[in-house]
Amino acid sequence: MIKFLDIQAMNEAHGTKIEEAILRVTRSGWYLRGEETRRFEADYAHYIGCRHAIGCGNGLDALRLIFRAYIEMGHLHEGDEVIVPANTYIASILAVTDNRLTPIFVEPDAQTLQIDETLIEQAITPRTRAILIVHLYGRCAYTSHIGDLCHKYNLLLIEDNAQAHGCSAPPTFPRKGDHTQSTSPQGEVVRRARTGSLGHAAGHSFYPGKNLGALGDAGCVTTDDDELATTIRALGNYGSSEKYIFHYTGYNSRIDELQAAVLAAKLPHLDADNHHRATIAELYYRGIDNPLIHLPRHVDPEHNVYHLFPIFCDERDHLQQHLKAYGIETLIHYPIPPHQQECYKEYAHLSLPITEQIHRTELSLPIGPTMSQTKVQEVIKAINDFKLKDYPRITK
Ligand SMILES: Cc1ncc(COP(=O)(O)O)c(C=O)c1O
């Protein structure tokens, strides 16, 4: 049996450090808004290359808090339009609509799977205020053209970095005069342009299966903007920055000390874990050779931390069945695009053929920091053995 992702093995690999962290927090008697949170926020801000990391309950909340904070700060207003990729996990869109903002769906490029930069400008209207890019599958969605459009139309650039911890922008970034050259809380200048530091603010998820995963729900916002950071911190604490004084009608969305301590213990291993993922991806790119299977464009591992390894097949469900017969677990990311979900009936009329095609044909292969090369070769062999004649019900 080849698991899609062996989360147990991933955490066992850092078992002693995680157990030490848990024991330390348990014995401390302090479980929220303490030293562990401060330390993780400082470490993560430094890693991403931003002045601030603000822990919160999960990745959806991180994005919701960003949009809500911009509303409180007067930069966004109800009904403003936010350009979003049409192919994403629904949380990206929920964060927009939950704040009564209007998502404008833009098709992805079928090769990169990221928002198609050439289609963005025509989607901009006088009501457009922001672009949300999603580094989906662990691939960098930023392009210098997107940066230029944000400058030209004075738009906020918000990143959904839930799937891309450790990913970096292509060499065209940072450009002169941009706001991303940042000083870490430790006073060190950070030059690496990681995703999560490319725009005005970014939401991160530490859901257990993510590249940096907690032992439950957790998330954070990164930003260089001091006012935004203060507003988000208050919003996530019922709307209060001073005990029992409420500036906003806020939420309770905080990272707890246990999750912060576990994440701080795992963070130093993130680059090595991502490197292992890239090695597996390289084997898949070299080994998969089947005319029925299409692979997305191969990009430099710096710009892809391989949170997922998506492949595409017109007979996706048969392929999944075939791999299951070989004992290989796969998942679909995602079977139904946001605009076709029942909760978004108002967008059901949209025709987004590239998005729909991606959702109809995508299959994610096993990949993770503890997967062995032998298992990767087993997956490759099973994929290369897939033939349509084994599935006579297929009508072409
Ligand atoms: C692209 C994307 N955005 C947002 C989220 C939401 O994160 P969370 O599950 O922590 O709320 C996820 C996670 O599943 C995601 O994959």
Side-chain angles (χ1 to χ4, degrees):
M1 166 79 182
I2 299 182
K3 283 190 182 178
F4 177 72
L5 181 68
D6 194 341
I7 298 185
Q8 195 182 5
M10 273 160 64
N11 285 325
E12 260 170 25
H14 312 297
T16 316
K17 284 191 163 183
I18 291 177
E19 282 159 20
E20 276 170 16
I22 292 173
L23 201 60
R24 192 171 65 244
V25 176
T26 311
R27 287 182 175 161
S28 74
W30 195 275
Y31 305 117
L32 276 166
R33 306 182 81 211
E35 260 323 299
E36 301 290 348
T37 298
R38 276 190 284 279
R39 181 176 148 215
F40 173 64
E41 288 179 341
D43 290 356
Y44 195 68
H46 177 63
Y47 178 82
I48 293 293
C50 273
R51 284 169 55 76
H52 304 279
I54 307 108
C56 62
N58 53 65
L60 170 58
D61 278 0
L63 293 167
R64 285 166 77 210
L65 285 164
I66 293 170
F67 287 113
R68 173 73 192 277
Y70 277 126
I71 289 171
E72 295 296 343
M73 288 161 66
H75 298 319
L76 292 176
H77 300 91
E78 190 174 330
D80 282 350
E81 293 175 1
V82 180
I83 289 181
V84 297
N87 65 317
T88 182
Y89 182 56
I90 199 155
S92 320
I93 313 300
L94 290 174
V96 175
T97 56
D98 188 55
N99 280 293
R100 298 174 194 277
L101 301 166
T102 305
I104 302 296
F105 296 93
V106 170
E107 285 268 61
D109 174 315
Q111 300 306 316
T112 66
L113 311 174
Q114 303 304 335
I115 190 165
D116 186 339
E117 59 169 11
T118 66
L119 301 178
I120 294 178
E121 194 159 18
Q122 67 202 55
I124 294 175
T125 75
R127 298 219 66 172
T128 310
R129 293 286 175 274
I131 300 179
L132 173 68
I133 53 173
V134 182
H135 306 296
L136 198 69
Y137 304 129
R139 305 168 71 98
C140 179
Y142 179 87
T143 67
S144 52
H145 182 59
I146 294 177
D148 290 342
L149 288 175
C150 289
H151 282 269
K152 183 172 168 190
Y153 293 97
N154 196 21
L155 305 177
L156 293 168
L157 179 61
I158 296 164
E159 298 171 81
D160 180 341
N161 201 43
Q163 301 193 0
H165 317 135
C167 188
S168 297
T172 48
F173 195 93
R175 293 160 309 138
K176 222 176 155 198
D178 255 329
H179 47 77
T180 50
Q181 270 234 344
S182 56
T183 310
S184 74
Q186 290 82 8
E188 192 182 318
V189 175
V190 181
R191 294 189 192 286
R192 193 162 180 195
R194 287 203 200 271
T195 58
S197 74
L198 310 178
H200 296 90
H204 308 250
S205 162
F206 304 120
Y207 177 81
K210 298 291 196 254
N211 289 32
L212 179 63
L215 302 184
D217 274 324
C220 89
V221 173
T222 51
T223 183
D224 281 338
D225 183 330
D226 297 349
E227 187 190 353
L228 183 75
T230 307
T231 311
I232 286 176
R233 219 174 259 295
L235 281 170
N237 187 40
Y238 309 99
S240 165
S241 27
E242 205 183 323
K243 202 163 187 187
Y244 302 136
I245 307 289
F246 300 92
H247 303 283
Y248 314 105
T249 52
Y251 317 98
N252 175 1
S253 184
R254 307 175 295 207
I255 195 168
D256 65 63
E257 290 282 279
L258 269 176
Q259 301 306 340
V262 168
L263 289 165
K266 291 177 74 176
L267 180 60
H269 307 280
L270 176 59
D271 286 344
D273 285 355
N274 284 344
H275 180 74
H276 188 85
R277 288 173 181 273
T279 312
I280 294 172
E282 210 50 52
L283 293 174
Y284 280 147
Y285 270 109
R286 268 193 263 140
I288 295 175
D289 182 15
N290 184 329
L292 301 172
I293 314 283
H294 170 71
L295 302 186
R297 184 176 302 152
H298 194 185
V299 293
D300 189 316
E302 277 245 317
H303 316 136
N304 187 348
V305 289
Y306 297 101
H307 173 58
L308 297 168
F309 194 92
I311 64 172
F312 298 88
C313 176
D314 285 342
E315 298 301 339
R316 186 259 315 276
D317 295 347
H318 286 116
L319 175 63
Q320 186 169 39
Q321 199 184 318
H322 168 86
L323 293 176
K324 193 172 170 203
Y326 278 71
I328 297 165
E329 209 174 56
T330 55
L331 290 177
I332 296 169
H333 295 93
Y334 298 91
I336 306 171
H339 71 282
Q340 293 183 330
Q341 293 288 350
E342 209 181 321
C343 63
Y344 281 139
K345 288 198 181 77
E346 64 271 43
Y347 303 119
H349 66 282
L350 294 175
S351 166
L352 297 160
I354 300 170
T355 298
E356 288 155 23
Q357 160 93 357
I358 288 175
H359 288 258
R360 198 166 48 243
T361 58
E362 195 274 347
L363 191 68
S364 299
L365 298 183
I367 191 163
T370 60
M371 190 179 178
S372 72
Q373 297 211 357
T374 316
K375 287 189 170 164
V376 181
Q377 295 302 349
E378 276 179 52
V379 176
I380 292 171
K381 183 172 179 326
I383 291 175
N384 291 345
D385 281 351
F386 178 64
K387 294 177 196 70
L388 286 186
K389 71 173 176 45
D390 298 335
Y391 295 89
R393 274 175 299 130
I394 293 173
T395 47
K396 282 261 126 193

